Amino acid sequence: MNVRRRRISGIPAIAIAAATALGLGTLSACSDTASAANTDKFDVVAAFYPLQYLAEQIGGDHVHVTSLTKPGQEPHDLEISAQQTAALGESDAVLYLKNLQPAVDDAVSQSEVKTKIDAASLTTEEKHGNEVGGHAATHDTSKNEELAGLDPHIWLDPVRYAQVAEGVGKAFEKADPKNAADYRTNTAALVKKLDALDTEFKTGLANTKTKVFITTHAAFGYLAERYGLTEEAINGLDPESEPSAKRVKDLEKMAKADGVTTVFYETLVSDKTAKTIAADANLKTDVLDPIEGITKKSRGKDYFSVQQANLKALQTALGTK
Ligand SMILES: [Zn+2]
């Protein structure tokens, strides 16, 4: 959309100089980045996969969506190129999640894009430590270490993700009113699917031998709380951090006391720590995917199929009765 700034490749430099001299300063000779924006559709830049997926599902044929985080890229420490910043400025809307990606937060706050949608503002966030969802067996002398800031991993809870979908739908309606009816229909369909997924998790995890699971990166706190489980994370909210020797000892003790069978790692980050701990404590390893990106290694092609795979992995690890 954004009709003020059309591609002008092919116009001689002199014409641009003349146009600039005439005060038509909004013309830009740089059109390479226009692939990400400046289409005849409603151009949405999404920060990373779960938001890209929402924008595509809700926008349908009316939107052109690009993601700042490429498939396979770990989103937490994303850096943004000058081209991406330029494309952001030319898009109609940006959909991001404050506090997940500092570089994106900066680029959005400096950008003049008309519609800025912060997914975090569309649902509720909580502070989460290394342990979420009620205390596991007494193992912990260090208490629940406070982690920096609010837990951004709201999309892994289908209920919160549905709240974000509702908010995104409303924002699209407002920003692109001629397609409002379709955005409303698509949002309702998506929310219905998320409600069904929520029910599947609820029934699927209602009767298990243990309620405790160990993950490398503390991404599953909201999911754990939603379904009455306890997440014990080896690392913090940032997947690349290293656990202390004491934390590792505590986890091994707890694993024994709570009948934990499996240490989960994820697809986009090294599984070294998980494998070491699992070997020391005689546990299995498996993948629990935080869906921060979809790659060939993902156990599904989109949010829903990967969540189904996560449910299956949890059922196996927790021992469904
Ligand atoms: Zn994460």
Side-chain angles (χ1 to χ4, degrees):
M1 238 162 76
N2 205 342
V3 280
R4 284 179 301 113
R5 300 188 193 181
R6 282 286 166 208
R7 298 174 141 254
I8 51 159
S9 50
I11 299 178
I14 285 175
I16 292 169
T20 310
L22 287 168
L24 305 173
T26 51
L27 284 173
S28 153
C30 173
S31 61
D32 284 346
T33 57
S35 59
N38 255 348
T39 69
D40 52 7
K41 297 190 173 185
F42 183 58
D43 289 306
V44 181
V45 173
F48 72 120
Y49 175 75
L51 300 181
Q52 174 197 341
Y53 186 70
L54 280 191
E56 287 168 352
Q57 298 301 305
I58 293 168
D61 292 339
H62 304 302
V63 293
H64 177 259
V65 183
T66 49
S67 178
L68 292 173
T69 311
K70 298 292 155 246
Q73 219 176 352
E74 208 293 306
H76 285 262
D77 46 12
L78 180 76
E79 280 172 31
I80 294 187
S81 69
Q83 267 172 329
Q84 287 179 310
T85 306
L88 182 66
E90 301 204 337
S91 66
D92 298 307
V94 60
L95 177 55
Y96 71 115
L97 179 61
K98 224 178 229 169
N99 283 327
L100 178 71
Q101 301 168 288
V104 174
D105 292 355
D106 288 349
V108 171
S109 73
Q110 281 159 31
S111 136
E112 281 169 22
V113 51
K114 223 170 107 193
T115 299
K116 298 178 181 179
I117 311 166
D118 171 16
S121 73
L122 303 174
T123 181
T124 50
E125 286 192 336
E126 293 169 10
K127 276 194 176 181
H128 282 160
N130 279 331
E131 179 181 86
V132 182
H135 208 69
T138 39
H139 57 91
D140 224 352
T141 46
S142 58
K143 283 280 162 121
N144 198 3
E145 288 162 45
E146 261 309 296
L147 297 172
L150 294 163
D151 180 358
H153 302 93
I154 48 175
W155 64 93
L156 293 166
D157 169 10
V159 176
R160 281 186 169 81
Y161 196 47
Q163 290 166 347
V164 174
E166 305 253 21
V168 170
K170 290 209 177 83
F172 279 18
E173 284 179 41
K174 202 173 155 205
D176 185 25
K178 69 178 188 305
N179 295 313
D182 286 348
Y183 295 146
R184 217 168 302 148
T185 308
N186 295 345
T187 303
L190 181 60
V191 167
K192 203 173 159 201
K193 272 178 85 178
L194 286 167
D195 286 348
L197 183 70
D198 173 44
T199 306
E200 237 177 291
F201 267 85
K202 221 179 267 163
T203 42
L205 296 170
N207 295 298
T208 52
K209 281 196 203 99
T210 178
K211 294 287 174 193
V212 185
F213 64 99
I214 298 180
T215 60
T216 45
H217 145 223
F220 303 91
Y222 295 116
L223 186 146
E225 280 184 328
R226 179 71 59 198
Y227 304 111
L229 309 176
T230 297
E231 174 198 56
E232 291 285 349
I234 299 169
N235 300 338
L237 292 168
D238 171 2
E240 311 276 3
S241 62
E242 286 276 327
S244 66
K246 187 174 173 308
R247 177 73 184 146
V248 172
K249 266 240 159 64
D250 282 344
L251 283 169
E252 288 177 3
K253 243 198 267 172
M254 182 273 306
K256 234 181 232 145
D258 279 315
V260 172
T261 63
T262 310
V263 177
F264 286 114
Y265 62 96
E266 57 184 287
T267 34
L268 299 183
V269 178
S270 157
D271 56 4
K272 213 179 89 202
T273 318
K275 290 207 160 132
T276 308
I277 292 177
D280 287 352
N282 213 1
L283 302 171
K284 283 179 265 185
T285 58
D286 197 5
V287 170
L288 200 56
D289 193 328
I291 326 183
E292 294 182 346
I294 298 281
T295 67
K296 269 187 268 165
K297 286 195 207 153
S298 305
R299 291 177 176 175
K301 58 179 192 344
D302 65 12
Y303 175 86
F304 283 97
S305 49
V306 179
Q307 279 287 50
Q308 311 270 8
N310 283 343
L311 173 57
K312 222 177 245 164
L314 280 169
Q315 287 180 306
T316 305
L318 300 173
T320 313
K321 281 189 234 165

